[in-house]
Amino acid sequence: MLSFRSIRYTLFGGCMCAALVPSAAFAEQAIIVLDGSGSMWGQIDGKNKIVIAKETVGTVLQSFPAERELGLIAYGHREKGNCADIEELVPVGSATAGAIADAVNGINPKGKTPLSASVKLAAEKLRYTEEKATVVLITDGLETCEADPCALANELEQAGIDFTAHVVGFGLTEEEGRQVACIAENTGGIYKQATDAGALAEALQETVVAQATEPEPEPEPKPAELEVNLLLNAELAEGQDEDIESARFEIIPLINGEPVGGSTVRFGDKLKEKLEPGSYDITLSAGRAETITRVEVTADQLVERDMILNAGIVEVRVLDSEGGAKVDDARWTVDPANAAALTGYNGGQPVIIPAGPFSVEVNNGRAAASTSGQVAAGATELVEIVAAAGIAKPRVVYAPGGPVVSDGLRIDIMKAKMDLQGNREAVQTSYTNEDQFLVPPGDYVIVAYAGSATAEVPVTVSANEMSPVDVVLNAGVAFLNVPGLRSLEIQDAAPNIEGNRQRYTTSYNEETTYVLPAGEYRAYVYYPEDGGEKEQAFTVVAGQRVEVSVTQ
């Protein structure tokens, strides 16, 4: 058994042949749950999905048995942005096909997609804890109301007497289909992928009408027919008989060599099926490796063969130093030469890729590293790569020993080495004393700004160590209270060598708080309506607050 697992999905393609899908019995009572969310205005082949749904539901329900009881619930059809917009439009009853078609015709999509709550309401309307119940969900989108449809399906299956949910994914992508198929899978139902009007009609025929129609008596079994007429084994390499638990088989029926209808997907290291006699393409995939084979199936002969992926396994371990510990939150990307790249984190599982060369890139904070390798078919390649990093932890203070700067702060960490123009490469920026910088080992300069005060301090960061450093602004805080002003300027008290005073800030507020380097200053106050001007000298001491009041 290979020590490898990956996430497993269950997805049945649209228009599947009934022989390829396990049929779940329809209850005496059932409810259709219809998506009325705003996305139903999307188009397929130039026609709105809600229009297709209205036309198709009305046509398909014409053949629904009148003696069977059927109801309708819709969601997202009355209000935008309301996860509680769920309504029972037609209560469960017999001979309701016409009423359901009329109700569907009146739906005007608007809102969100509370599909989990809608399915739960349908189950409750059917008294699923007391009686056999079937829900058919028709959705063109994923849950948008902070609910877990897979967990809900498990809950309904466990609490119900005989609860089944079928799901029709209308216009969903294959990836989106995987995320809602669990509702059917967890309750023993059917998932159908419908990509156009015809496929929607076939899906509704199978999940609504066919399930409610009394099945014809099974013919007497033919003695020559086999219980299984197709047996395929998934292998990484020729002659390797080890399980590939993440293997995915897709069965595609053919007529005259061309795909017809939908496909069926199965998971596991072996595919054991009884198929209708005919021609099929079988695609086997695991990770980024894939192979395809064509089989001719008959009723009385077993087709058995090995499907070889010609693939290997790559496991990436990002280390904090040579021979050091694994960095669990590091990010890695494995890029095979002849397949799409895979990305994961250091706590993830190994990946399957086609045999051959590959490259690996890893990131640990701002530390990065890359390497390359080659994996043989059936082999496991362990890649250990060092992405060392350390932490620079600045603390910006007004004066030696404090206090700490809390407001209006900016901290830049830059590489210490300058280019030919005297510039340094910026690495990261923070706006709080609470942050720390995860960077590769090396020499850096930390530059801090607050108001008009600035300071820089060099720091050397070592691998897997924290380097705390105090950045002293040698500054204080000036608070100026100037009632009735038009404007206020803060300038140096003494002119510079050119006879000019440096101006630090201009304010139009009666109360101004500003950070200034320690020194002597003047506040120049200008009053409105020819009120003149006034100046006030004040001193800023590092680490202290000075309060200045200027009255007219």
Side-chain angles (χ1 to χ4, degrees):
M1 179 78 69
L2 293 175
S3 58
F4 174 82
R5 288 181 184 270
S6 69
I7 297 175
R8 306 174 75 176
Y9 300 97
T10 300
L11 177 63
F12 301 95
C15 311
M16 292 183 293
C17 299
L20 300 184
V21 182
S23 177
F26 204 94
E28 293 295 327
Q29 294 186 349
I31 290 180
I32 295 174
V33 175
L34 180 61
D35 190 338
S37 65
S39 59
M40 286 289 283
W41 287 117
Q43 293 189 347
I44 294 177
D45 297 331
K47 182 179 283 190
N48 300 115
K49 285 184 279 187
I50 185 61
V51 175
I52 296 172
K54 290 177 179 180
E55 295 173 352
T56 306
V57 169
T59 300
V60 171
L61 288 186
Q62 291 176 7
S63 58
F64 188 85
E67 68 274 10
R68 293 300 177 97
E69 296 189 351
L70 185 65
L72 174 68
I73 286 176
Y75 60 79
H77 59 296
R78 294 177 296 181
E79 299 180 54
K80 294 182 178 180
N82 184 0
C83 286
D85 183 17
I86 304 168
E87 183 182 14
E88 183 185 36
L89 295 177
V90 179
V92 176
S94 58
T96 56
I100 290 174
D102 291 341
V104 171
N105 283 333
I107 289 176
N108 183 25
K110 290 184 175 65
K112 299 180 77 64
T113 309
L115 60 85
S116 299
S118 302
V119 170
K120 185 174 182 181
L121 175 62
E124 291 169 348
K125 292 288 184 181
L126 294 169
R127 302 186 301 278
Y128 75 108
T129 59
E130 304 170 15
E131 299 180 13
K132 187 175 181 179
T134 296
V135 173
V136 179
L137 169 65
I138 305 170
T139 179
D140 82 322
L142 304 180
E143 176 70 51
T144 61
C145 290
E146 298 184 358
D148 185 348
C150 299
L152 171 70
N154 279 328
E155 174 187 331
L156 296 177
E157 175 67 14
Q158 293 172 9
I161 293 295
D162 187 357
F163 178 79
T164 304
H166 306 303
V167 181
V168 177
F170 184 31
L172 298 180
T173 66
E174 183 174 338
E175 176 59 31
E176 290 169 339
R178 293 190 181 100
Q179 298 183 48
V180 297
C182 61
I183 300 175
E185 179 186 5
N186 294 352
T187 61
I190 297 170
Y191 175 77
K192 298 292 296 181
Q193 186 90 358
T195 57
D196 55 27
L200 179 61
E202 290 185 24
L204 292 178
Q205 183 70 31
E206 183 171 341
T207 58
V208 179
V209 177
Q211 299 295 328
T213 305
E214 292 294 337
E216 296 181 3
E218 290 288 337
E220 290 295 325
K222 297 179 181 180
E225 289 192 0
L226 303 174
E227 292 185 4
V228 172
N229 57 6
L230 179 64
L231 176 58
L232 302 180
N233 301 307
E235 296 184 3
L236 285 177
E238 187 78 36
Q240 186 181 74
D241 189 20
E242 296 189 63
D243 292 348
I244 308 174
E245 296 185 2
S246 63
R248 176 184 185 271
F249 292 93
E250 183 176 10
I251 307 168
I252 305 170
L254 306 174
I255 294 181
N256 297 326
E258 296 296 327
V260 58
S263 63
T264 301
V265 174
R266 298 285 187 262
F267 293 92
D269 65 303
K270 297 183 186 299
L271 176 65
K272 299 173 67 175
E273 290 287 327
K274 181 180 180 180
L275 303 181
E276 291 294 318
S279 180
Y280 298 85
D281 275 346
I282 312 294
T283 300
L284 167 65
S285 58
R288 287 292 186 259
E290 183 176 287
T291 187
I292 187 169
T293 188
R294 182 163 294 182
V295 296
E296 299 294 333
V297 176
T298 63
D300 57 356
Q301 289 186 334
L302 174 64
V303 177
E304 183 176 7
R305 68 181 62 167
D306 295 332
M307 292 189 69
I308 311 301
L309 283 170
N310 190 34
I313 297 174
V314 175
E315 181 179 356
V316 180
R317 292 181 188 170
V318 185
L319 307 179
D320 61 12
S321 61
E322 199 68 43
K326 190 171 75 167
V327 184
D328 285 336
D329 55 353
R331 182 176 181 269
W332 51 257
T333 298
V334 176
D335 192 0
N338 53 353
L342 298 106
T343 297
Y345 291 85
N346 220 21
Q349 296 290 343
V351 294
I352 294 177
I353 64 171
F358 63 89
S359 61
V360 177
E361 294 184 358
V362 301
N363 297 93
N364 177 20
R366 294 285 170 166
S370 62
T371 189
S372 59
Q374 185 148 339
V375 63
T380 297
E381 189 72 18
L382 174 61
V383 178
E384 292 189 334
I385 184 169
V386 175
I391 293 176
K393 181 66 178 74
R395 188 180 74 125
V396 183
V397 295
Y398 286 104
V404 174
V405 180
S406 58
D407 296 323
L409 176 64
R410 170 177 168 163
I411 307 172
D412 292 334
I413 184 168
M414 316 177 82
K415 291 185 177 179
K417 188 176 181 179
M418 294 182 178
D419 61 18
L420 291 176
Q421 288 74 42
N423 300 317
R424 293 189 174 100
E425 180 183 344
V427 179
Q428 282 180 268
T429 297
S430 172
Y431 298 92
T432 172
N433 259 313
E434 304 302 319
D435 286 345
Q436 54 191 27
F437 301 107
L438 183 66
V439 293
D443 294 327
Y444 298 88
V445 172
I446 294 177
V447 184
Y449 310 85
S452 290
T454 183
E456 67 177 56
V457 176
V459 60
T460 297
V461 177
S462 300
N464 307 313
E465 294 183 5
M466 177 179 285
S467 300
V469 58
D470 276 2
V471 184
V472 181
L473 289 177
N474 190 31
V477 174
F479 171 78
L480 293 96
N481 179 27
V482 187
L485 84 167
R486 186 185 70 197
S487 64
L488 161 72
E489 291 182 0
I490 299 177
Q491 301 181 8
D492 275 336
N496 59 21
I497 197 169
E498 287 85 14
N500 301 317
R501 289 186 174 89
Q502 180 177 346
R503 185 172 65 184
Y504 291 93
T505 188
T506 299
S507 174
Y508 302 92
N509 300 318
E510 292 188 346
E511 291 185 350
T512 299
T513 302
Y514 196 67
V515 177
L516 291 164
E520 302 294 328
Y521 299 90
R522 288 181 181 272
Y524 291 89
V525 182
Y526 302 92
Y527 293 95
E529 300 177 358
D530 298 326
E533 62 183 72
K534 196 168 186 179
E535 67 178 82
Q536 175 73 48
F538 64 93
T539 301
V540 174
V541 179
Q544 296 183 18
R545 173 189 176 96
V546 59
E547 296 189 351
V548 181
S549 294
V550 183
T551 55
Q552 189 173 8

